[in-house]
Amino acid sequence: MPLTNPWLSGAAPTRLLPRADLEERILNLLSSQNMAVIATTNRDGSPAATPVRYFSLGFEIFYTSWNDSAKSRNLRRDPRVSAGIFAPLAGQASSRGAQLFGTARTICQGPAELDHWRS
């Protein structure tokens, strides 16, 4: 199967990559995919992983969520978050992906913006 993403072509690295090369590969992956699995922590300490559609800006990813969703409640209580992004291909290439760790923050929209999504 031909690969259209140059990040996936060639063999997997067999050594640590220089930081600039690794960052380039991660940014390429983030810009070529749109699904991630967001991991948060439930109140009892157990993990909660949820697939989301995301948009990226550099190493930051953005996704929408209702305020009363489990992941939003979890992030209000504990903003630590992890996101797993991978290229859904068959064979060895399917194991290529990235996991980002960070702190989430909520960007709220006003009533006018919410009306747009309700209509």
Side-chain angles (χ1 to χ4, degrees):
M1 166 166 81
L3 296 174
T4 58
N5 187 333
W7 182 81
L8 295 170
S9 63
T14 57
R15 60 178 171 68
L16 289 178
L17 295 175
R19 185 176 184 97
D21 292 348
L22 180 60
E23 287 180 357
E24 180 182 3
R25 283 177 173 235
I26 294 169
L27 289 171
N28 190 313
L29 176 70
L30 290 175
S31 67
S32 67
Q33 303 301 313
N34 71 346
M35 293 297 294
V37 176
I38 301 296
T40 62
T41 306
N42 289 317
R43 183 176 300 281
D44 66 2
S46 62
T50 308
V52 298
R53 180 170 289 129
Y54 75 89
F55 302 94
S56 65
L57 182 59
F59 289 103
E60 292 183 301
I61 63 170
F62 301 84
Y63 65 91
T64 59
S65 178
W66 293 107
N67 284 334
D68 61 349
S69 71
K71 64 184 164 297
S72 291
R73 287 191 315 268
N74 288 346
L75 290 172
R76 278 193 300 273
R77 191 184 64 264
D78 181 350
R80 294 176 300 164
V81 65
S82 176
I85 296 102
F86 63 96
L89 300 172
Q92 182 63 28
S94 67
S95 65
R96 296 185 187 183
Q99 186 167 4
L100 305 177
F101 301 89
T103 303
R105 61 187 166 103
T106 300
I107 301 171
C108 294
Q109 297 179 338
E113 292 88 359
L114 291 176
D115 288 341
H116 168 77
W117 295 106
R118 289 184 181 138
S119 54

